[in-house]
């Protein structure tokens, strides 16, 4: 069975030299928290999907972020017995005060430092991704 593909951006901002990650709470399913991401449309590249979904779900466009094309990580998990692959790139919001606009797919947002972002992310693979991206992000603020 070929996996469902999705792509997104793990976005951080620098507030007083502290890295904060953007987490969105879904308005579907069990209302879990996730970075912006979504399904790859037929014929679309993962990169274009990540940009499109971030625009749709957080109202942030490519030029408002520094996106690190060489810093990415892929998660693999099952949804309803079907494999799903999600690739995330690391991105920095250039203006930390920039407002985030949610779509109907999410009901809340939080900017959180590493430990709190890991706590609400819940899933251990996402916690590890955040840990790894945090190490990189600290060198980029
Ligand atoms: P999502 O992929 O975030 O749209 O979520 C689809 C379903 O997969 C929801 O039930 C989530 O709770 C679950 N899910 C999200 N992320 C993970 C993960 N890293 N590991 C396992 N299940 C997940």
């Amino acid at each position: 069975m070929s996996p469902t593909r999705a792509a997104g951006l793990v976005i951080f901002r620098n507030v007083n030299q502290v890295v904060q990650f953007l987490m969105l709470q879904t308005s579907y399913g069990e209302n879990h928290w996730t970075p912006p991401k979504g399904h790859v449309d037929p014929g679309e590249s993962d990169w274009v999907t990540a940009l499109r979904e971030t625009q749709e779900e957080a109202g942030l466009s490519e030029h408002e972020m520094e996106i690190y094309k060489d810093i990415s990580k892929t998660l693999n998990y099952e949804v309803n017995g079907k494999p799903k692959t999600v690739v995330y790139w690391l991105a920095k919001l250039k203006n930390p005060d920039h407002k985030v606009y949610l779509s109907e797919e999410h009901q809340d947002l939080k900017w959180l430092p590493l430990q709190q972002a890991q706590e609400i992310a819940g899933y251990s693979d996402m916690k590890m991704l955040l840990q790894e991206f945090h190490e990189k992000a600290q060198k980029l603020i």
Side-chain angles (χ1 to χ4, degrees):
M1 196 191 303
S2 61
T4 303
R5 279 198 81 79
L9 297 180
V10 172
I11 303 167
F12 70 95
R13 68 178 185 181
N14 171 3
V15 176
N16 300 324
Q17 297 305 112
V18 174
V19 169
Q20 295 181 337
F21 290 108
L22 176 63
M23 299 295 284
L24 311 180
Q25 185 181 32
T26 62
S27 42
Y28 59 86
E30 65 266 41
N31 307 123
H32 62 292
W33 291 81
T34 168
K37 58 124 180 353
H39 290 123
V40 178
D41 284 342
E44 190 178 48
S45 69
D46 293 350
W47 178 256
V48 169
T49 302
L51 299 180
R52 177 179 57 72
E53 290 286 347
T54 300
Q55 175 75 67
E56 289 173 9
E57 296 186 349
L60 298 173
S61 59
E62 190 176 0
H63 71 268
E64 285 155 349
M65 296 171 284
E66 190 86 50
I67 309 173
Y68 304 98
K69 208 164 189 174
D70 54 339
I71 304 178
S72 71
K73 196 166 163 65
T74 300
L75 301 189
N76 294 289
Y77 51 94
E78 280 195 2
V79 181
N80 300 326
K82 198 174 183 304
K84 180 169 183 176
T85 293
V86 189
V87 57
Y88 288 102
W89 282 273
L90 182 64
K92 177 171 70 180
L93 186 61
K94 290 179 185 167
N95 172 5
D97 297 323
H98 196 99
K99 195 165 160 37
V100 172
Y101 293 93
L102 295 180
S103 71
E104 286 183 357
E105 279 182 66
H106 297 96
Q107 59 185 25
D108 199 5
L109 72 92
K110 287 184 178 180
W111 287 100
L112 295 173
L114 175 63
Q115 207 181 329
Q116 285 168 261
Q118 287 177 312
E119 277 165 22
I120 64 166
Y123 297 104
S124 58
D125 55 353
M126 176 54 78
K127 288 184 184 182
M128 277 167 54
L129 181 153
L130 290 168
Q131 181 80 49
E132 286 177 31
F133 277 10
H134 184 259
E135 281 162 29
K136 312 263 187 198
Q138 278 188 306
K139 297 177 187 146
L140 297 165
I141 60 175

